[in-house]
Amino acid sequence: MLLTTVAVPVPLSRAFDYSVPEAMAAQVRRGVRVRVPFGRRELVGVVLRSPVEQAAGDTGLRSLSEVLDAAPLLPPELLTLCEWAADYYRHPLGEVLSAMLPGRLRKGADAVLQRPAGYQLRAAGREALAQLPGRNRAQRQLLTQLQDGPLSRAALGASIATIKAALDQGWIEAVELPPAAPMVTAALPTPTPEQATALAEMAAAPDGFSVTLLDGVTGSGKTELYLRRIAEMLAQGRQALVLAPEISLTPQLVERFAARFGDGVLSFHSGLGDREREQAWLRARAGDARVVIGTRSAVWLPFARLGLIVVDEEHDASYKQQEGFRYSARDVAILRAQKLGLPVLLGSATPSLETLHNAQQGRYQHLRLQRRVHSAAPPTVRILDVRNLPLDHGLSQPLLQAAERHLEAGGQVLLFLNRRGYAPVLLCHACGWNAPCPHCDAHLTLHRGRGLLICHHCGAQQPAPHRCPACGARELIGIGAGTERIEQALANHFPRYRVARLDSDRITSPSALQAQLDAVRDGTVQILVGTQIMAKGHDFPGLSLVGIVSADQALYGSDFRAIERMGQLVTQVSGRAGRTGQTGEVWLQTHHPEHPQLRMLAEQGYAALCEQLLKERSDAGLPPYSHLALLRAESREADVALAWLDRARPLFENPHGVIVTDPVPSGMERRGGYWRAQLLLIASQRAALQRVLAVALPQLDAVPGARKLRWSIDVDPYDLM
Ligand code: ADP
Ligand code: ZN
Ligand code: ZN
């Protein structure tokens, strides 16, 4: 009997054996999709190995129902990558594979790449052209246009009747148009001296796998370097993958690539419909897409001839998927490049400590770009002590005066605050009621414009009350400020100028973002208020003042990455100022002007802050000097998760030196109606951590009480809350 192993999309960490009917044997190969019976259902799975002969077969095995692909749909390289990731992140392979496949393909549809249709000249048409009488103008024109090769309907511009007549005569035939040839525009900017040095050093790296960190301030020409490296790959007939954070994947970025490389540029993001996603997937697989610019999930695209991976803004949190299959697209990209023997470019003005550490250890090439292409110096950050100053909706007089100065001088002003809504707390002045979320240990945020109270943790919404629900008093006060409040305060304070707000309440699509960015760029808007949505990637040439409304939240943050993130945000937001011409100013309001790390950031910059943070991490044995895995558990009932983790903890006891902390309630114990607790594993070696997880996790479901809760494992967690 012939046997094969199939990964099936179910939440089980194992693959399943099936018997292979003789008639299917030749087609069943690794990477081919098959339909299989599973329980009472039929599922689409992926074959993991070619059939093997089994002498005394297990008679209970069920057999494959159908083979769906004539050739493997998944390139072997990608399948191996998925297997590795399933293993490393401890997530079922079947689910990894189905997350990676576009919807219809996942359900078993045929994989058909639809290249754009067009027409080409046949030999008969060529002969006809020589003999056609001059009055047959439409046909002459059509055949003449096609002399140099096939063209699309649109490019031809001929009427349906003309085309039909030519088809009927056998002069032309319908064809699939070939993929656009890669093009590189002729006029490239001359590299700056720093860019030239970086290019020379990259060229000096040995062929094969290498990781290069392009550590360069905003506007120093990193993207231009990506474009050049990509051009080299295209010239060799290879493809390139560019990963970008969701919010910087604007039409502007894609256009910049398309302007350089033409039609072979494809953007791949969550805004695509099912069909578009599937066709994009197939275009990458066929090699038609020469350059793919995509968000996190693009790291799983099947490439025919991948030659280079770029990870822009490599520090960005959005590369880590925070639920379900909790992978880091940056880390997967590096691993994929390693397995394929390719170069990787990591770019950032604020590299993560992990990446800086790898560079210091000599594992990554570290190239610095310290000068901006178009202006002398990045702005310096000035700390503004707001203790005892009257605050107008969170804004101090000195900051408002500075804004006024810049506006009157014709500059633009940006105010940054990482908090949406009007006020984070709605308080009753009479009785102290403060709008708690019914499902979380959190307050509801007042969104005054929409008349709603919204929980930013679970999404719960309710109408904003006019009277206190507890005592009936009318005195409800919004405490603290969000972007909506700052926007209003500025509109009142500066009636002569236009204010725009950029946050996820206002910006719900890439095109909405683009529209706002255009309004800023063409000067329609002079004052910009927003969250981290505008912290990166975008270019505001007229911006001369950046005000950071408060950095204090990060200083109280309990997550060990809080200060690192604060440094990244402040630096990225500051990088928006003074990109062309005038030097920008950055003002940072704080109630902790003496905070040593804040001072260090303001006075010596992000790199110096990182030096110090790395030392602290090393002393504390935290990443990047150790590796973490977080076991989370959550239950509808109080205390269940914590008690269960206590019982599960002994399973993690190990002789490999992996530290197992005591279970604790999560930072926000109750969220979305679940009571949450967690247990942290800390290891100095990844391999030791993996060994412990491999032993313990399969036993977790047998720990008493497992039925009453959900648990999940997060390897290399980004967020410890
Ligand atoms: P980064 O990615 O580091 O923010 P960019 O590559 O976007 O920097 O460069 C900043 C600006 O300078 C862009 O408008 C870009 O077109 C321009 N630029 C980059 N390199 C050069 C160069 N060598 N000569 C002229 N302009 C350049
Ligand atoms: Zn009240
Ligand atoms: Zn909530």
Side-chain angles (χ1 to χ4, degrees):
M1 185 174 64
L2 285 173
L3 271 191
T4 188
T5 310
V6 178
V8 190
V10 290
L12 297 170
S13 308
R14 49 170 294 223
F16 293 85
D17 285 343
Y18 285 88
S19 74
V20 182
E22 283 295 337
M24 296 183 193
Q27 248 180 303
V28 174
R29 269 185 289 156
R30 189 169 152 80
V32 160
R33 288 173 305 158
V34 287
R35 214 180 281 284
V36 296
F38 193 88
R40 286 196 220 143
R41 296 176 293 164
E42 285 245 305
L43 295 176
V44 174
V46 175
V47 171
L48 297 180
R49 56 175 180 152
S50 299
V52 289
E53 189 67 46
Q54 182 115 334
D58 173 354
T59 47
L61 277 189
R62 303 170 80 177
S63 70
L64 302 181
S65 316
E66 191 186 353
V67 184
L68 296 169
D69 300 305
L73 181 66
L74 297 173
E77 165 260 331
L78 181 56
L79 188 48
T80 306
L81 183 75
C82 290
E83 285 172 322
W84 172 85
D87 199 50
Y88 182 80
Y89 292 108
R90 301 281 149 192
H91 197 76
L93 176 61
E95 290 196 344
V96 171
L97 289 171
S98 72
M100 185 213 72
L101 282 170
R104 278 173 15 102
L105 300 181
R106 191 186 310 152
K107 294 187 195 105
D110 283 345
V112 184
L113 171 62
Q114 284 159 342
R115 293 206 170 101
Y119 301 95
Q120 76 181 5
L121 202 59
R122 301 181 62 189
R126 225 171 268 284
E127 283 168 27
L129 183 57
Q131 294 154 17
L132 267 182
R135 65 189 143 74
N136 202 342
R137 200 173 294 152
Q139 287 298 336
R140 284 196 72 85
Q141 190 184 350
L142 174 67
L143 301 183
T144 310
Q145 278 180 299
L146 291 173
Q147 266 180 323
D148 296 332
L151 287 173
S152 68
R153 258 295 303 285
L156 284 169
S159 72
I160 295 179
T162 309
I163 288 177
K164 182 159 186 312
L167 283 169
D168 290 346
Q169 292 286 346
W171 291 342
I172 65 172
E173 61 193 346
V175 288
E176 262 185 5
L177 292 178
M183 87 177 194
V184 176
T185 46
L188 297 182
T190 313
T192 63
E194 275 189 340
Q195 283 175 325
T197 308
L199 282 169
E201 292 194 29
M202 280 191 264
D207 281 347
F209 172 65
S210 65
V211 184
T212 300
L213 167 60
L214 276 180
D215 179 354
V217 296
T218 312
S220 61
K222 297 184 294 297
T223 309
E224 179 59 33
L225 292 180
Y226 307 155
L227 291 167
R228 285 185 179 256
R229 289 288 281 166
I230 292 168
E232 289 167 20
M233 286 303 153
L234 297 185
Q236 296 171 27
R238 315 282 291 270
Q239 294 166 287
L241 167 63
V242 180
L243 294 176
E246 186 85 46
I247 54 179
S248 41
L249 197 58
T250 56
Q252 193 201 1
L253 179 72
V254 179
E255 271 161 24
R256 188 163 166 198
F257 280 74
R260 187 72 57 96
F261 301 126
D263 285 345
V265 175
L266 177 86
S267 86
F268 190 83
H269 52 83
S270 58
L272 297 184
D274 273 0
R275 273 285 174 164
E276 288 172 301
R277 230 179 147 70
E278 171 190 312
Q279 288 302 310
W281 198 87
L282 293 170
R283 282 182 68 198
R285 180 170 174 272
D288 290 14
R290 305 295 176 135
V291 180
V292 176
I293 307 178
T295 49
R296 183 173 67 218
S297 62
V299 78
W300 304 109
L301 284 173
F303 289 94
R305 297 179 296 278
L306 192 58
L308 171 72
I309 305 181
V310 174
V311 185
D312 191 26
E313 310 287 3
E314 69 81 29
H315 64 280
D316 196 88
S318 74
Y319 287 126
K320 173 82 181 180
Q321 179 144 307
Q322 306 271 18
E323 58 203 31
F325 175 30
R326 295 171 167 81
Y327 66 94
S328 152
R330 177 197 60 203
D331 296 350
V332 171
I334 293 171
L335 191 97
R336 189 170 187 181
Q338 186 173 26
K339 292 194 183 298
L340 286 169
L342 306 180
V344 183
L345 279 183
L346 303 179
S348 179
T350 53
S352 63
L353 292 183
E354 279 78 5
T355 294
L356 283 172
H357 177 62
N358 277 319
Q360 285 178 358
Q361 299 288 303
R363 283 191 284 267
Y364 298 172
Q365 187 183 29
H366 192 169
L367 304 179
R368 292 182 185 80
L369 298 173
Q370 280 158 336
R371 309 178 72 88
R372 292 177 164 197
V373 176
H374 292 300
S375 65
T380 46
V381 179
R382 180 190 310 186
I383 290 181
L384 177 56
D385 178 2
V386 294
R387 285 174 304 181
N388 292 315
L389 292 185
L391 294 179
D392 178 3
H393 298 282
L395 303 171
S396 67
Q397 278 309 315
L399 182 57
L400 286 168
Q401 282 156 7
E404 184 160 0
R405 248 190 301 115
H406 280 265
L407 289 168
E408 285 188 351
Q412 285 171 318
V413 170
L414 179 155
L415 288 178
F416 170 81
L417 177 61
N418 222 2
R419 192 192 274 148
R420 296 178 291 126
Y422 185 84
V425 180
L426 183 65
L427 178 77
C428 171
H429 193 47
C431 78
W433 173 85
N434 52 27
C437 173
H439 316 291
C440 305
D441 293 332
H443 291 112
L444 296 169
T445 297
L446 174 63
H447 287 248
R448 214 162 78 166
R450 290 153 70 193
L452 290 174
L453 290 172
I454 302 178
C455 176
H456 287 185
H457 304 283
C458 72
Q461 299 193 352
Q462 49 184 266
H466 298 292
R467 288 165 173 274
C468 171
C471 75
R474 284 180 179 278
E475 268 183 284
L476 296 175
I477 329 166
I479 304 288
T483 44
E484 194 184 329
R485 186 169 199 167
I486 302 287
E487 177 194 24
Q488 258 179 37
L490 289 166
N492 291 339
H493 200 91
F494 298 111
R496 291 194 297 121
Y497 299 99
R498 258 196 59 196
V499 187
R501 171 153 63 91
L502 264 81
D503 58 25
S504 57
D505 291 329
R506 276 282 160 82
I507 305 297
T508 48
S509 70
S511 55
L513 176 57
Q514 190 62 40
Q516 286 288 26
L517 297 177
D518 288 345
V520 178
R521 232 168 271 130
D522 68 22
T524 322
V525 160
Q526 295 82 34
I527 305 174
L528 199 58
V529 180
T531 57
Q532 58 175 341
I533 216 168
M534 57 182 192
K536 54 201 101 170
H538 314 304
D539 200 356
F540 305 122
L543 188 69
S544 60
L545 173 71
V546 168
I548 293 164
V549 177
S550 172
D552 293 354
Q553 239 175 329
L555 305 180
Y556 316 126
S558 56
D559 194 298
F560 74 93
R561 287 197 175 89
I563 302 282
E564 175 188 357
R565 274 181 221 158
M566 185 267 301
Q568 288 166 347
L569 265 178
V570 169
T571 309
Q572 294 280 350
V573 177
S574 306
R576 305 301 118 207
R579 286 198 72 176
T580 42
Q582 76 279 49
T583 316
E585 272 187 85
V586 178
W587 290 42
L588 192 157
Q589 295 195 136
T590 178
H591 285 91
H592 302 276
E594 300 305 328
H595 193 284
Q597 285 160 331
L598 208 52
R599 294 211 75 91
M600 179 149 247
L601 179 67
E603 287 159 15
Q604 299 175 52
Y606 180 76
L609 175 67
C610 288
E611 283 299 315
Q612 200 199 353
L613 291 176
L614 278 171
K615 190 167 176 316
E616 286 177 18
R617 297 272 185 94
S618 165
D619 292 345
L622 284 169
Y625 299 91
S626 64
H627 305 281
L628 307 181
L630 189 65
L631 177 66
R632 296 187 177 91
E634 53 182 31
S635 166
R636 292 262 176 211
E637 290 167 52
D639 304 326
V640 166
L642 195 59
W644 181 80
L645 285 176
D646 269 326
R647 286 194 293 281
R649 189 177 182 279
L651 294 175
F652 293 90
E653 295 297 353
N654 66 89
H656 309 298
V658 175
I659 299 168
V660 188
T661 65
D662 284 330
V664 290
S666 302
M668 180 179 298
E669 185 174 11
R670 205 167 55 98
R671 191 169 77 188
Y674 283 90
W675 297 82
R676 312 178 318 136
Q678 60 194 38
L679 177 160
L680 187 65
L681 304 176
I682 308 171
S684 54
Q685 300 298 327
R686 282 185 207 279
L689 184 58
Q690 288 290 330
R691 234 175 284 151
V692 173
L693 294 176
V695 171
L697 298 184
Q699 304 182 60
L700 280 182
D701 284 329
V703 175
R707 293 249 176 97
K708 283 170 121 184
L709 51 78
R710 304 192 295 211
W711 63 264
S712 63
I713 188 76
D714 192 346
V715 177
D716 302 333
Y718 183 76
D719 209 333
L720 294 191
M721 292 301 281

XYZ file of all heavy atoms in Angstrom, residues 13 85-92 690-691 693-695 697 713 715:
139
model
N -1.148 19.870 16.304
C 0.261 19.994 15.933
C 0.809 18.729 15.309
O 1.861 18.260 15.687
C 1.100 20.341 17.160
O 0.550 21.439 17.792
N 8.758 27.427 10.550
C 8.050 28.443 11.340
C 7.013 27.797 12.266
O 6.838 28.225 13.407
C 7.380 29.458 10.419
N 6.330 26.770 11.765
C 5.340 26.079 12.589
C 6.030 25.496 13.820
O 5.525 25.561 14.938
C 4.665 24.970 11.785
N 7.209 24.968 13.593
C 7.971 24.361 14.660
C 8.487 25.422 15.638
O 8.331 25.302 16.848
C 9.137 23.607 14.015
C 9.701 22.583 14.953
O 8.892 21.813 15.499
O 10.937 22.567 15.137
N 9.058 26.473 15.097
C 9.678 27.491 15.943
C 8.642 28.262 16.759
O 8.826 28.509 17.941
C 10.496 28.456 15.080
C 11.214 29.501 15.890
C 12.409 29.194 16.538
C 10.686 30.773 16.051
C 13.063 30.141 17.306
C 11.327 31.731 16.814
C 12.513 31.409 17.447
O 13.147 32.345 18.218
N 7.543 28.658 16.088
C 6.519 29.432 16.794
C 5.470 28.536 17.453
O 4.495 29.016 18.007
C 5.869 30.435 15.840
C 6.830 31.526 15.416
C 7.344 31.567 14.125
C 7.261 32.489 16.316
C 8.253 32.556 13.742
C 8.162 33.478 15.948
C 8.656 33.505 14.657
O 9.552 34.473 14.295
N 5.670 27.241 17.344
C 4.788 26.270 17.999
C 3.338 26.480 17.584
O 2.436 26.609 18.418
C 4.918 26.387 19.529
C 6.315 26.153 20.019
C 6.642 24.697 20.088
N 8.070 24.472 19.828
C 8.590 23.292 19.598
N 7.835 22.214 19.584
N 9.877 23.164 19.355
N 3.140 26.522 16.271
C 1.789 26.711 15.747
C 1.521 25.586 14.758
O 2.414 25.208 14.014
C 1.682 28.082 15.066
C 0.275 28.523 14.874
N -0.503 28.998 15.899
C -0.513 28.543 13.776
C -1.698 29.295 15.442
N -1.742 29.028 14.160
N 0.280 25.036 14.718
C 0.014 23.897 13.827
C 0.338 24.197 12.361
O -0.095 25.218 11.824
C -1.492 23.662 14.004
C -1.808 24.222 15.343
C -0.881 25.376 15.548
N 13.451 26.022 22.954
C 12.680 25.165 22.056
C 12.511 23.764 22.639
O 11.454 23.158 22.526
C 13.365 25.088 20.679
C 13.243 26.378 19.872
C 11.822 26.628 19.396
O 11.053 25.709 19.161
N 11.434 27.896 19.294
N 13.558 23.267 23.261
C 13.493 21.923 23.818
C 12.446 21.848 24.933
O 11.659 20.909 25.007
C 14.869 21.515 24.370
C 15.355 20.187 23.803
C 16.759 19.867 24.253
N 17.737 20.656 23.531
C 18.931 21.020 24.021
N 19.270 20.710 25.255
N 19.764 21.702 23.277
N 9.856 23.839 25.348
C 8.507 23.987 24.785
C 8.045 22.687 24.136
O 6.888 22.288 24.265
C 8.485 25.126 23.755
C 8.726 26.532 24.309
C 8.768 27.559 23.178
C 7.654 26.921 25.323
N 8.968 22.033 23.445
C 8.603 20.800 22.731
C 8.110 19.733 23.702
O 7.217 18.956 23.380
C 9.790 20.285 21.927
N 8.673 19.718 24.890
C 8.256 18.719 25.873
C 6.955 19.144 26.560
O 6.023 18.354 26.701
C 9.366 18.521 26.938
C 8.852 17.657 28.080
C 10.605 17.918 26.291
N 4.536 21.740 25.924
C 3.285 22.161 25.289
C 2.338 21.010 24.947
O 1.129 21.127 25.174
C 3.564 23.015 24.043
C 4.314 24.327 24.291
C 4.450 25.124 22.998
C 3.620 25.170 25.344
N 0.782 30.231 23.097
C 2.214 30.436 23.348
C 2.719 31.488 22.381
O 2.333 31.519 21.221
C 2.992 29.103 23.203
C 4.451 29.264 23.652
C 2.926 28.563 21.792
C 4.620 29.320 25.135
N 6.254 32.897 21.100
C 7.713 32.791 21.093
C 8.280 34.119 20.594
O 7.788 34.670 19.616
C 8.163 31.631 20.177
C 9.688 31.553 20.113
C 7.580 30.320 20.658
